[in-house]
Amino acid sequence: MPQSGPQWVDRALAILDEVASSPGPLAAKALARRVGCSLSTAYHLLGPLAERGYVTRTARGYVPGPRIPALHREFRRQWEPAAGTAELLGRLRRATGGEAYHTAYRGGVITVVDTTAPVTDTANPFAPGRETRAHATAHGKALLAALPRTARRRYLDEHGMARLTAATITSAELLEAELARVRGQGFAVSVGEADPAFTCLALTLPGPQEAGAVHALSVSLPTEEYRRRPQAARLALERAAAGSL
């Protein structure tokens, strides 16, 4: 018997998550097994998802549907702090040679909204989506430093401070000291704290914004490359944030 109500919605979303994160097409039987439902329930849920364009059925199984790119486009538009943010990321990438990112805090959530990194670059550790490693990333530290202490503590209590590398800050006291430095110098740096191979720089974007929302601009470079020209990368980031790049 097909599920209804909240469980129905939860399983439909679970199916969508499985299809989106799979390296290839997934058969209905595999989806039913992964989300813990019967095959008939899986088909019952896949029908409206396919009809609305969220998934597409192929000879090998289900893949993301044509509605997904439109959702991403609208997501970026509604989170964009100002017109032209995507173009700004492109200019920052050309100026630094590293990948550029727009990240935002909104409604208690930190999200990597947009990036110049190709979607096929699975080695890039800062893909678009929900960010749970704010304590270890430059964009996360820039955003946390700009938040009221209660909002910052709420975020960290929810997501924790996992040790990702030997350089990750996992002490609340040490992180508060680091965030005080960020506020004092006006930018954040993460040298191998989220991924040992990358160094990131970030700063918050100025100007009027939605109440409770904070936006950050950041760039990531291989650590060895960053060490050869740290000042140039920071200058380009500051110019981009000021709109003069």
Side-chain angles (χ1 to χ4, degrees):
M1 184 75 174
Q3 301 295 323
S4 61
Q7 189 177 38
W8 186 93
V9 174
D10 186 64
R11 280 185 169 161
L13 292 173
I15 283 177
L16 187 57
D17 282 341
E18 291 292 342
V19 171
S21 61
S22 173
L26 278 175
K29 187 179 291 187
L31 284 166
R33 183 172 60 251
R34 292 190 183 195
V35 304
C37 68
S38 68
L39 182 58
S40 62
T41 295
Y43 277 122
H44 177 77
L45 298 172
L46 284 162
L49 288 173
E51 184 177 346
R52 290 173 176 267
Y54 293 106
V55 300
T56 295
R57 186 177 185 177
T58 71
R60 295 176 53 212
Y62 289 87
V63 297
R67 178 65 180 145
I68 302 302
L71 283 178
H72 184 228
R73 183 174 61 249
E74 290 306 305
F75 165 76
R76 286 167 52 192
R77 180 185 64 79
Q78 293 194 35
W79 281 69
E80 192 174 39
T85 301
E87 291 77 7
L88 177 63
L89 296 182
R91 293 197 298 273
L92 182 56
R93 187 188 189 284
R94 289 190 292 274
T96 62
E99 301 297 354
Y101 308 84
H102 163 216
T103 308
Y105 170 91
R106 192 179 187 187
V109 176
I110 291 178
T111 304
V112 179
V113 179
D114 198 7
T115 173
T116 57
V119 294
T120 53
D121 184 4
T122 55
N124 188 288
F126 310 112
R130 189 163 182 161
E131 177 63 272
T132 61
R133 311 158 298 170
H135 65 294
T137 63
H139 54 248
K141 289 193 284 186
L143 293 170
L144 289 174
L147 295 179
R149 184 180 178 88
T150 53
R152 182 164 63 247
R153 292 310 311 165
R154 192 179 305 119
Y155 175 90
L156 293 171
D157 287 344
E158 180 178 349
H159 295 95
M161 298 174 63
R163 180 171 297 283
L164 305 173
T165 74
T168 305
I169 297 173
T170 58
S171 158
E173 183 178 351
L174 291 178
L175 181 63
E176 283 296 330
E178 171 72 0
L179 298 181
R181 280 192 291 273
V182 171
R183 287 188 289 271
Q185 65 192 11
F187 64 93
V189 182
S190 169
V191 183
E193 294 175 47
D195 185 292
F198 288 90
T199 287
C200 303
L201 293 85
L203 45 73
T204 54
L205 289 170
Q209 296 173 358
E210 173 190 347
V214 188
H215 297 264
L217 187 66
S218 62
V219 63
S220 71
L221 294 154
T223 295
E224 291 305 314
E225 184 176 344
Y226 166 77
R227 285 174 175 158
R228 289 195 293 269
R229 49 192 182 91
Q231 296 297 342
R234 183 163 65 86
L235 179 60
L237 183 64
E238 290 174 346
R239 291 179 59 202
S244 59
L245 185 63

